[in-house]
Amino acid sequence: MTAATLVHEFVHIAGAPGGNSHAAEKAAGKCGFKPQYNPLILGSIEALGKQLENLA
Ligand SMILES: [Zn+2]
């Protein structure tokens, strides 16, 4: 799961959009992480940033 999450996040760094896009999670599924692939996950680094700002 950790490796799948890293691939997901690297795909964002490589340019996959966040928000309502499913691109990063889909790419992780296509990179050998089918068991970890979650069709319900939407990418959102921006939302995570806002969440972290709210915690601070
Ligand atoms: Zn994401």
Side-chain angles (χ1 to χ4, degrees):
M1 194 65 209
T2 302
T5 301
L6 286 172
V7 168
H8 175 114
E9 299 307 336
F10 285 142
V11 173
H12 279 303
I13 291 167
N20 292 327
S21 170
H22 186 60
E25 185 63 14
K26 199 171 174 184
K30 297 223 180 242
C31 289
F33 293 103
K34 282 207 188 310
Q36 290 81 18
Y37 170 76
N38 183 340
L40 301 177
I41 287 180
L42 298 174
S44 191
I45 283 180
E46 291 156 15
L48 177 62
K50 285 175 189 160
Q51 226 173 355
L52 294 175
E53 282 173 17
N54 289 337
L55 289 175

